Amino acid sequence: MTALSLVDQGPVSAETPPSQTLLHTVALAQLADEVGLTRYWLAEHHGVRNMGVAAPEILIGHIASRTTRLRVGAGGIMLPNHAPLHVAEQFRTLEALHPGRIDLGIGRSTGTGDEATRNALLRTPDGLERFGHHLTQLLGVGGRGGLDPADPYAGLVASPWDVPLPAVFLLGSSTGSAEAAARAGLGYAYFSVYQAPEAAATALRRYRELFTPHRPEDRPHAIVAARIWVGEDAEHAHALASSERLAVLDFLTGTPAPLEPMERALARPLTEAQLAVRDRLDTRSDVVGDVDHVAARLADLVAATGADEVMAVSNIHDPLERRNSLRRLAAAVEPHPVPVG
């Protein structure tokens, strides 16, 4: 059975504002724990109208304390926004409180929806360009070594220093990020969205070819993440996907908005600009259908990429529909059906 996980971006709608979204996030994580998912990651976004998780490090501890076996982590911490020493301290602290259940996914963007928010969050003006150096500092101060003696971080130790840094994954959507993760000896999570399906296979193959362990315990671990919606049938699945797909078109055409109910999303006519954007987006990596169709697509995805794990991104307007979609998703990779209710 393929390991199945979920990354939660905290979908926001007019009916479910950000504060309420956080409560639904906790409930969804508890369901993920119940139906046997491997990981539950929280994304970091700022100033994005339809995504409500801005402080994943806080939610990780909260969710870990309300679940029993689920690994909980960041998918990811946007390193250009944060001091590497502080990130190492936060996640060593989480590891101390929830040993063996914390993951640290690292991203190289700011997770923002506009330039003003981006500029407000960037820790240094060149933070995006110096991502590789800051990642080395984070790993070094977290006890993995590799720092130049002349580096300002050399000799620093992230507290609590008697706790290891949790499992670290690099997030990306290119062959370049796969190569960077491999050379650093880290886990890798490939976000297969708006790309040709074969791009994931190329990136993950390159990751395994170049993987260089830095410690005896280092092993390659490849996750492929995709947008997945599982409905009662194909029509219902595409209806579930409609709210998120419309929100993307709104964002890309300069009119960002929270998620709309699927009935309104299906009925709303698209502008000429939105139609043009829609026709340019490659959605072949999306997985949309009933349980049997999704099971077959995921099996093909794992066979093509050699991924150790599949991670779902499933933004849906209605929290109950979202929970039921997750139950169906679990049933798609579980030989014993998971009841929907």
Side-chain angles (χ1 to χ4, degrees), residues 44-51 109-119 121 251-252 254 256:
E44 177 186 344
H45 289 99
H46 305 273
V48 180
R49 294 291 303 278
N50 63 318
M51 298 179 187
S109 76
T110 58
T112 56
D114 61 272
E115 187 173 358
T117 305
R118 170 187 176 276
N119 293 340
L121 284 166
F251 176 78
L252 292 177

Side-chain angles (χ1 to χ4, degrees), residues 4-5 35 37 57 63 66 69 120 128 162 173 179 247 263 272 293 296-297 308:
L4 176 66
S5 299
V35 300
L37 268 63
E57 64 276 19
I63 287 172
R66 284 159 175 77
R69 43 150 300 280
L128 295 170
D162 59 333
S173 55
E179 293 173 348
E263 296 82 4
E272 289 187 12
H293 176 80
R297 282 289 309 275
D308 300 294

